[in-house]
Amino acid sequence: MQAQDPLAVIDPALIKQAVVALKNGDLVAIPTETVYGLAADASNPTAVKKIFTAKGRPADHPLIVHVAAPSANDDSAAQEAAWFNLLTPWVRDLSEDAMRLILAFWPGPLTLVFKKDKHVLSEVTGGQDTVAIRSPSHPIAQALLRELGGGLAAPSANRFGKVSPTRAADVRSEFDDLPALLVLDGGDCEVGIESTIVDMTSNPPVLLRPGAITPNQIQSRTGITVVGLDQRSNSGEDGVRPRVSGSLKAHYAPNTPMRMYAPGGLYDCLAEYPDIKSRVAVVMWESERAIGGQSNHMEWHEIAVPLSSEAFASGLYRLLRDLDDQAWDLILIPEPPTGQEWDGVRDRLQRACFGSGPSESNHVKS
Ligand code: TXA
Ligand code: MG
C-alpha cells in the first residue's frame, strides 16, 4: 500500500525519534490508511489524557488502541498464534468469529470492540468494560508500532467534531497551537474515512460505524453476519448504546454551511437560497458535469467528484477542507447512491451537513 508514495518511505531515524517521544509521554501524529491519528502510549495515563486536552474531546469518549501486525510471511496457524499473543494484554476473550475477522481484514480499516482485559486503562476506554482495537495497514504506522512494542491510543487527529485530517499539512493546521507536535508524514491517506467499527461483544456482532469494509464484504469473506445498530438483539441486560463520538448527529463538520441535494434536485436546492448570489460551491458527479454554472439568480463554482465509493471516500475530507479554506457561502454536495459501499460516505456527509456552519450556529451539542 502506498509503496509508490515517497512520503510513505520509512525513515528509521524518524521512527526512533517518535518512539522516544511516545515513551516520554508526548503525543505523535501518525498516518494510517484511513485518516491521521493523534497517538499516545496506551499504557501511559498522563499521555492519554493529553489527547483529550489537545482535541477538546469529552473524557468519556473511548479511544481505539492500535497494535502491530505479525509478519505477513507466517502461515495462518502461526499468524493466529501471533495475533492471540498480541491481543492477550488487551482483550479478555477472543472468540473464534473475532479471530476469523482478524485473519481476513487485519491489518486494515476494521476496528473490533472486545471485552477489555483488566489492565487496560480507563482513560483509554472512557470507563467502559470494552476496548476498541485495530491494526492499521499504513507502513509507517506498522513500523512505529513494531518499534514501540506496545499499543497506541489514537483518535483521528482533528479537533472534536471537525473534519478528520487525511494529509500531514491538515494535522499541522489543526494543531497549530502545538508547534512541537511531531507529525509523521505518510502522504495522503488512501481510504480517506475512518475505520468500520464492529462490536464483537454482541451476538450477532453489531456495526457501530460504517466504513470502507462493509457487512456484505465481511459476510462473503468470513460467513459472519454483522447487523446494524437498529437490529441489535435486546437479550443483553444493559441495552446501553456504546459511546461513539462519530455517532453524534453533528460531526466531521466544515465551518461553511453544507447541504446535500437529491439526484436531479440541484436547482430546487439552489432556489432555497435566494439571498446568495454567488460564492456557492457545487460538487457534482464527474458524469453529470457541464450542466452549466448558472441558474437565474446565482452563479456557482463546480467541482467534479468520482462516482466510485472508494475514490470519493479517499478524497472526501481533503475536498471538505479545501472548500472550507476557500470561504464559500454555501457548499452543495450530491446525495450518494444507495448501497452498502456508500454507507460510510453517506454517514459522514449527513453528520457533516448537520454540523456545518460557524461553530456558534451549529448543532454539535445534540
Ligand atoms: O480509522 C480510524 O478508526 C481512525 C484512525 C486514526 O485509526 N481513528 C478514529 O478514532 O476514527 P476516533 O477516536 O476519531 O473514533 C473512534 C471511535 C469513537 O467514535 C469511539 O467512541 C469509538 O471508536 N470507540 C472506541 N472505543 C470504543 C468502545 N469500547 N466501544 C464502542 N465504541 C468505541
Ligand atoms: Mg474522530
Side-chain angles (χ1 to χ4, degrees):
M1 180 173 295
Q2 297 191 347
Q4 75 289 1
D5 186 341
L7 288 168
V9 170
I10 297 161
D11 173 349
L14 209 50
I15 297 290
K16 287 211 164 66
Q17 188 190 338
V19 168
V20 169
L22 290 163
K23 291 207 161 140
N24 195 32
D26 292 335
L27 303 181
V28 174
I30 60 166
T32 84
E33 73 281 23
T34 57
V35 301
Y36 276 76
L38 186 65
D41 176 352
S43 65
N44 180 339
T46 316
V48 172
K49 280 187 195 142
K50 288 184 188 168
I51 293 177
F52 292 88
T53 311
K55 278 189 63 111
R57 175 175 169 132
D60 63 349
H61 284 231
L63 303 173
I64 296 173
V65 175
H66 297 68
V67 296
S71 160
N73 300 328
D74 291 348
D75 64 25
S76 84
Q79 290 246 354
E80 189 167 333
W83 280 123
F84 190 84
N85 288 336
L86 266 158
L87 291 171
T88 300
W90 306 101
V91 172
R92 198 170 347 135
D93 38 37
L94 196 56
S95 65
E96 269 177 42
D97 277 0
M99 188 54 86
R100 292 227 303 276
L101 291 180
I102 289 168
L103 292 172
F105 293 105
W106 281 9
L110 177 68
T111 296
L112 299 176
V113 174
F114 302 98
K115 289 274 180 212
K116 79 175 190 76
D117 179 84
K118 61 178 182 301
H119 295 108
V120 182
L121 296 177
S122 64
E123 285 81 359
V124 171
T125 64
Q128 305 191 66
D129 66 349
T130 55
V131 62
I133 306 201
R134 88 176 188 98
S135 185
S137 63
H138 194 291
I140 292 180
Q142 279 296 330
L144 179 65
L145 286 161
R146 277 196 304 272
E147 183 78 20
L148 180 77
L152 283 177
S156 50
N158 52 283
R159 306 274 175 185
F160 182 61
K162 292 299 173 188
V163 179
S164 300
T166 53
R167 55 194 166 196
D170 294 338
V171 180
R172 290 204 186 89
S173 71
E174 197 79 1
F175 296 104
D176 54 2
D177 58 330
L178 298 177
L181 176 70
L182 176 59
V183 180
L184 298 181
D185 192 339
D188 290 356
C189 300
E190 199 178 22
V191 175
I193 58 171
E194 302 80 354
S195 59
T196 305
I197 305 182
V198 174
D199 184 356
M200 297 307 292
T201 69
S202 292
N203 190 12
V206 172
L207 180 71
L208 297 181
R209 180 173 72 184
I213 294 175
T214 63
N216 285 345
Q217 284 173 20
I218 291 176
Q219 174 81 52
S220 70
R221 278 182 60 186
T222 65
I224 295 169
T225 302
V226 172
V227 298
L229 256 183
D230 47 340
Q231 291 157 270
R232 167 174 228 148
S233 88
N234 289 325
S235 54
E237 67 283 12
D238 57 12
V240 178
R241 231 172 117 135
R243 289 181 290 259
V244 181
S245 48
S247 73
L248 295 177
K249 232 173 144 186
H251 209 73
Y252 317 109
N255 296 316
T256 313
M258 182 164 89
R259 274 277 309 271
M260 267 195 272
Y261 62 91
L266 175 61
Y267 286 94
D268 289 344
C269 199
L270 285 166
E272 286 176 38
Y273 298 88
D275 298 335
I276 297 181
K277 300 280 179 241
S278 61
R279 301 234 35 91
V280 178
V282 177
V283 180
M284 278 178 195
W285 303 119
E286 257 158 17
S287 48
E288 288 172 11
R289 227 178 141 195
I291 65 167
Q294 216 168 357
S295 72
N296 31 10
H297 73 279
M298 198 187 286
E299 278 180 42
W300 68 82
H301 172 76
E302 278 179 18
I303 302 106
V305 287
L307 190 52
S308 131
S309 58
E310 284 179 13
F312 183 84
S314 180
L316 174 61
Y317 290 157
R318 288 187 286 281
L319 173 69
L320 294 186
R321 281 178 178 270
D322 288 345
L323 290 176
D324 235 4
D325 287 346
Q326 293 160 13
W328 301 100
D329 291 334
L330 178 68
I331 302 168
L332 298 181
I333 196 156
E335 256 174 42
T338 53
Q340 263 186 21
E341 71 277 20
W342 286 96
D343 281 356
V345 158
R346 188 175 320 101
D347 169 77
R348 304 314 189 275
L349 283 178
Q350 279 164 349
R351 296 179 208 284
C353 286
F354 193 81
S356 65
S359 46
E360 58 284 6
S361 72
N362 67 19
H363 308 81
V364 168
K365 297 263 154 28
S366 66

